[in-house]
Amino acid sequence: MPHAFRALYANAYVMLGLTMFFWGAHAVVARFSVGHVSPMVLTAGRWLGVAILLFAFYRPDVREGIAALKRYPRFMILMGTFGYTVFNVMMYQAAQFTTAVNMSLLQGAIPICVLLGAFLLYRTPVRGVQIIGVAITILGVVLVATNGHPERLLELQFNAGDILMIIACAFYAGYTVKLKERPAMSGPVFFAALALVAGVASIPFLIGEIIAGKAQLPTPQGWAVLAFVAVFPSFLSQIFFMRGVELIGPGRAGIFANLVPVIGAGLAVLFLGEPFGWHHAAALVLVLGGIAIAERARRV
């Protein structure tokens, strides 16, 4: 591991915070990618970029990852295919059909799915205070997603994009929960194995898009999108997130996903010139407060 990452690698909260920042930006960039690069080209291209980065910085880990893939083929293939490729495919497809409001709101389902999945699979206890913390963070998500008017929830209409996003969130929640069963190996080795699987698994989707005549090579803006998603939401975020789950567990790590829509709104203010309303400030307080309450409940 590069020396600069060693201190960072021991702090779960910094790593999870950075991960959610990158994912918040990813949500904005995914929406921006529409018209600049097709979903399957973006999916396949991001994993090609990750492969280049892995070989550049983690070549010994890549060799170990290939060996690990041979030792645990079923687990690695399922995790890489559904946690990475299928999630990305559905997210980019969802961006073609649904609104930013709906996508932001639906991402709040991830921590709920993680808590439920951890309880069903491992009987991980869920305390009342922790449920309150989750509810508070969800309220923050709702404020952001509805621009401070929660009553607009009654007006939301679900379309194919919304359904795809719900399924994508469920897949990533399942991936998060199953990280508890990760074989004994370092995060970079495990990620290298999954990234190889994700790259291979993306090829049939790309071929299908080409056959359907819907493939679009990146425009100049599309190349910028591709570079961003390969380095930050794909390469750095996955390494950071796996390490965060390893340090504090899937339930506690999963609740940080509620920061994603808040961060996405903040980035929209900075880079798209959107106004910063009272609901953004209130949502930030609610999300951070909810995380603190849920964290305290896990420690008591």
Side-chain angles (χ1 to χ4, degrees):
M1 178 187 301
H3 179 73
F5 284 168
R6 291 179 183 173
L8 176 65
Y9 206 60
N11 192 318
Y13 302 102
V14 173
M15 285 186 295
L16 289 170
L18 287 172
T19 296
M20 300 314 148
F21 178 83
F22 296 151
W23 284 348
H26 186 202
V28 176
V29 170
R31 186 65 179 162
F32 174 77
S33 71
V34 177
H36 295 290
V37 57
S38 57
M40 304 309 133
V41 171
L42 179 56
T43 300
R46 72 181 290 179
W47 294 115
L48 175 60
V50 168
I52 294 172
L53 291 169
L54 284 169
F55 275 100
F57 296 103
Y58 290 94
R59 189 168 302 178
D61 295 307
V62 171
R63 289 194 292 267
E64 293 184 35
I66 294 173
L69 181 57
K70 293 178 180 178
R71 291 197 303 271
Y72 310 99
R74 183 174 179 272
F75 181 79
M76 297 295 191
I77 289 172
L78 289 175
M79 292 288 278
T81 300
F82 292 103
Y84 288 178
T85 304
V86 174
F87 171 77
N88 294 149
V89 166
M90 289 187 172
M91 180 179 181
Y92 295 146
Q93 286 283 21
Q96 311 291 313
F97 304 106
T98 193
T99 65
V101 169
N102 287 29
M103 289 184 71
S104 297
L105 178 61
L106 293 173
Q107 287 185 74
I110 292 177
I112 297 175
C113 292
V114 170
L115 288 175
L116 179 61
F119 174 76
L120 293 176
L121 290 178
Y122 306 113
R123 290 297 183 265
T124 302
V126 179
R127 301 185 179 186
V129 176
Q130 190 177 11
I131 294 175
I132 292 173
V134 172
I136 290 174
T137 61
I138 293 299
L139 178 57
V141 171
V142 170
L143 284 177
V144 170
T146 61
N147 290 319
H149 298 280
E151 68 276 8
R152 291 181 182 175
L153 288 176
L154 299 176
E155 304 171 5
L156 289 178
Q157 296 181 351
F158 289 85
N159 57 29
D162 298 318
I163 295 173
L164 285 172
M165 197 64 199
I166 291 172
I167 298 173
C169 291
F171 274 124
Y172 203 83
Y175 162 81
T176 302
V177 172
K178 295 297 286 184
L179 280 176
K180 184 174 182 178
E181 300 180 16
R182 190 182 92 186
M185 64 185 70
S186 70
V189 170
F190 185 62
F191 175 57
L194 297 192
L196 292 172
V197 170
V200 173
S202 68
I203 295 175
F205 291 100
L206 177 60
I207 293 174
E209 187 177 68
I210 294 172
I211 293 175
K214 296 181 178 180
Q216 178 189 356
L217 292 176
T219 64
Q221 296 93 330
W223 282 113
V225 167
L226 186 54
F228 175 84
V229 298
V231 174
F232 296 101
S234 305
F235 182 65
L236 293 177
S237 291
Q238 296 300 338
I239 291 176
F240 290 172
F241 186 65
M242 282 190 294
R243 179 59 174 168
V245 170
E246 179 183 312
L247 291 174
I248 66 174
R252 292 166 63 188
I255 197 171
F256 278 77
N258 284 294
L259 284 170
V260 171
V262 177
I263 292 171
L267 293 175
V269 170
L270 290 175
F271 296 105
L272 302 180
E274 296 183 0
F276 187 83
W278 68 266
H279 56 285
H280 294 126
L284 183 59
V285 171
L286 288 169
V287 170
L288 293 178
I291 290 174
I293 291 172
E295 281 289 282
R296 182 176 179 81
R298 295 287 297 189
R299 293 175 180 177
V300 173

